[in-house]
Amino acid sequence: MQFVEFEQIFDEYSHSINKFEFSSDMKRKLFSFMQVVLQKNKVMNLTSIVDEKEFIIKHYIDSLQFLNIKNFNEAFLLNNEMNFLDLGTGAGFPGIPLAIVLNKNNIHFVLVDSLQKRLDFLKEVIDELGLFNVKLVHARAEDIAKDLLYREKFDFVLSRGVAKIATLAEYLLPLTKVSAFAIMYKMLDCDDEITKSRNAIKILGGKISNCNYIYNLIDNEPARQLLVINKIEHTPNKYPRKAGIPTKNPII
């Protein structure tokens, strides 16, 4: 795929991202990142999505839906200082696309993953793309949330992880500032999961927002949502529990 074709596809699908202008430089960096990921994917397991158009839609357009979040837009328009953490970033989603389009002095990203090989790859990416606003941290979710350098320090804590909502909440909310937001990328059809997680979210100091953002990536595919959790109280010190417990025995 040439850049011209990439730009046409990106422009076609990014119209769903309101009130945000993507410069040619941003799109060129996104194009370069896609090329590097797909090339590295031949020798390292980074993504199951290898079709370039599907990559643009399901990695980029999906990751960038965060820009539609009302709470972010308000802070962005005020030019506020913002600290992001992408937990379980994997091949860099949603953190790297967001860092590319939000490459500003007042916006900072921490990308966390438990696999050093992935972070070594991302270090090469951020150096090549000149992403001065990105820090990489090698850690498990259960450990970084106990580190006072990171605990309750972030305005937006993001995850595209596939874990249950109660499990993700135990990982994300200890890292989220009081009065800030944890954001989960989920399918829309998860009402039962949401219901089962409400008590866990309350115990962890959160409350599900009424500002969740619902969207479709492709016509005739199931709708998705960004599930927004407001952090309203400090998370008790005993959370998150030891490695493996939040997955095996979610808070009920």
Side-chain angles (χ1 to χ4, degrees), residues 225-247:
Q225 67 177 314
L226 297 182
L227 184 64
V228 180
I229 301 176
N230 295 45
K231 180 73 173 281
I232 57 176
E233 295 178 342
H234 291 289
T235 302
N237 289 333
K238 69 177 182 177
Y239 298 109
R241 293 165 293 166
K242 291 182 180 180
I245 296 177
T247 300

Side-chain angles (χ1 to χ4, degrees), residues 180-241:
F181 309 93
I183 313 287
M184 301 178 191
Y185 288 69
K186 304 292 289 184
M187 302 306 291
L188 181 61
D189 184 18
C190 62
D191 289 348
D192 183 58
E193 194 179 329
I194 290 173
T195 299
K196 290 178 179 177
S197 71
R198 286 190 184 276
N199 188 54
I201 290 169
K202 181 179 179 180
I203 289 170
L204 295 161
K207 180 181 179 182
I208 294 177
S209 170
N210 59 1
C211 295
N212 300 327
Y213 181 72
I214 297 169
Y215 61 99
N216 284 88
L217 285 180
I218 304 172
D219 291 342
N220 302 320
E221 279 202 359
R224 301 168 185 247
Q225 67 177 314
L226 297 182
L227 184 64
V228 180
I229 301 176
N230 295 45
K231 180 73 173 281
I232 57 176
E233 295 178 342
H234 291 289
T235 302
N237 289 333
K238 69 177 182 177
Y239 298 109
R241 293 165 293 166

Side-chain angles (χ1 to χ4, degrees), residues 71-115:
N71 310 99
F72 163 74
N73 272 302
E74 291 172 349
F76 185 71
L77 290 171
L78 291 171
N79 204 35
N80 286 353
E81 189 90 6
M82 285 185 275
N83 291 294
F84 288 76
L85 187 141
D86 175 9
L87 191 64
T89 191
F93 303 106
I96 294 293
L98 287 169
I100 287 172
V101 304
L102 299 173
N103 200 16
K104 299 177 65 178
N105 289 328
N106 63 319
I107 300 180
H108 315 281
F109 288 83
V110 174
L111 275 55
V112 182
D113 203 83
S114 62
L115 188 63

Side-chain angles (χ1 to χ4, degrees), residues 39-173:
Q39 182 62 35
K40 189 72 171 181
N41 200 56
K42 294 175 182 178
V43 296
M44 180 180 175
N45 183 24
L46 292 171
T47 177
S48 61
I49 299 173
V50 295
D51 176 81
E52 290 164 314
K53 180 176 180 179
E54 189 178 5
F55 187 105
I56 295 166
I57 297 168
K58 293 190 175 179
H59 279 324
Y60 285 165
I61 303 303
D62 188 48
S63 293
L64 296 172
Q65 293 297 325
F66 171 82
L67 301 173
N68 284 317
I69 291 285
K70 177 183 176 183
N71 310 99
F72 163 74
N73 272 302
E74 291 172 349
F76 185 71
L77 290 171
L78 291 171
N79 204 35
N80 286 353
E81 189 90 6
M82 285 185 275
N83 291 294
F84 288 76
L85 187 141
D86 175 9
L87 191 64
T89 191
F93 303 106
I96 294 293
L98 287 169
I100 287 172
V101 304
L102 299 173
N103 200 16
K104 299 177 65 178
N105 289 328
N106 63 319
I107 300 180
H108 315 281
F109 288 83
V110 174
L111 275 55
V112 182
D113 203 83
S114 62
L115 188 63
Q116 185 63 54
K117 284 197 304 182
R118 284 195 289 254
L119 295 177
D120 291 341
F121 163 69
L122 291 176
K123 176 65 166 62
E124 296 175 11
V125 167
I126 65 175
D127 288 346
E128 184 177 330
L129 297 180
L131 299 179
F132 61 83
N133 57 345
V134 178
K135 176 181 178 180
L136 303 172
V137 176
H138 177 225
R140 292 182 63 94
E142 298 91 344
D143 296 328
I144 192 170
K146 294 287 189 181
D147 188 333
L148 296 182
L149 185 64
Y150 301 105
R151 189 176 181 89
E152 296 190 331
K153 293 294 192 296
F154 295 90
D155 301 288
F156 297 98
V157 182
L158 314 176
S159 176
R160 290 175 87 213
V162 295
K164 297 291 187 182
I165 293 171
T167 300
L168 280 179
E170 189 169 349
Y171 293 146
L172 302 186
L173 284 168

